[in-house]
Amino acid sequence: MILGSHVQMKAPLFLEGSVLEALSYDANALMLYTGAPQNTVRRELSQMRIPEAQQCMKDHGIPMERMIIHAPYIINPANSVKPEVAELAVEFLNKEISRTRAIGARYLVLHPGSYTTADAPTGIRTAIAQLNRAETCDEVTVCLETMAGKGSEIGRTFEELAEILAGLDHPERFGVCFDTCHTNDAGYDLTKYDDVLDEFDRIIGLSRMHVIHLNDTKNPIGAHKDRHANIGQGTLGFETLHYIAFHPRTAHIAKILETPYIGKKPPYKEEIKMLRENRYMPELLSETAQ
Ligand code: FE
Ligand code: FE
Ligand code: ZN
């Protein structure tokens, strides 16, 4: 099973520290933001300890495509109301694509954006136009994430993602990141994962799914909320998430935990252990656990 989590990238070890953090959770995949998710301030590539990180991945037998990069969520290519926002989105997306390439990572996860005060068709059209302006390349696959449909988010149905993908000049440079919290909140019944996969395959094509965000959710199906819960502690529950984590049809895809910290502590080592051992151990997830 290819399983990891969101990790930090911070001084002094930067990207090498990200890999070490993942290893400390017994993970064999990881995902990181190249800076704060809510702003576009980024460190020089030369300071990020990229060769050291790549060596560390190699030493532990983890292929570089399992190091996933997440673009900052302020990027909104679907904003038609403030064209300068969409403009900035492309500018920053270009930098993220070249950073992802320089890091040697393969997949860059991107939220398709929000239509704000316009409407969904306009948002989708705007996103397509902006993504077609981006400087994409063959080495990096931009993975549009399935969204919960909170506020005016687009990408809340497989149909909307398929529509965006169909409008792209270089569709082969784009794919999808499947988030279990978001798809539940968008209205998909993940207790019937096989049916959801069939639907995904029919509408988008399963070969275009490259990343899975494995999260429980605080909200019932169709709530359009997007609040992540720890594994086993939400609406989806341990059994469903374990089933998804081990499903043979998506076994080749990296699963990334984006579950909330408990107190000040990341829960990832414990959640990975529970999933690997197929044993729900809620006592590991309590605030007093060491
Ligand atoms: Fe995301
Ligand atoms: Fe996600
Ligand atoms: Zn989310």
Side-chain angles (χ1 to χ4, degrees), residues 273-284:
K273 181 181 161 74
M274 293 194 310
L275 287 163
R276 283 200 196 282
E277 294 180 10
N278 190 15
R279 204 149 52 92
Y280 179 48
M281 297 172 269
E283 66 280 5
L284 289 183

Side-chain angles (χ1 to χ4, degrees), residues 2 15 38 40 44-45 48 56 73 82 123 144 155 166 170 206 213 222 247 265 280:
I2 307 169
L15 199 60
Q38 67 277 13
T40 57
E44 287 293 316
L45 282 170
M48 278 175 49
C56 195
Y73 42 71
K82 289 191 185 141
L144 303 175
H170 286 287
L206 200 53
H213 286 169
H247 200 286
K265 198 175 164 290
Y280 179 48

Side-chain angles (χ1 to χ4, degrees), residues 9 34 74 83 90 92 98 155 204 241 245 281 284:
M9 193 191 65
T34 60
I74 49 148
V90 174
F92 195 73
S98 63
I204 297 176
L241 290 165
M281 297 172 269
L284 289 183

Side-chain angles (χ1 to χ4, degrees), residues 151-163:
S152 63
E153 280 172 349
I154 58 165
R156 59 209 150 148
T157 60
F158 299 160
E159 284 81 358
E160 283 188 352
L161 288 169
E163 198 181 331

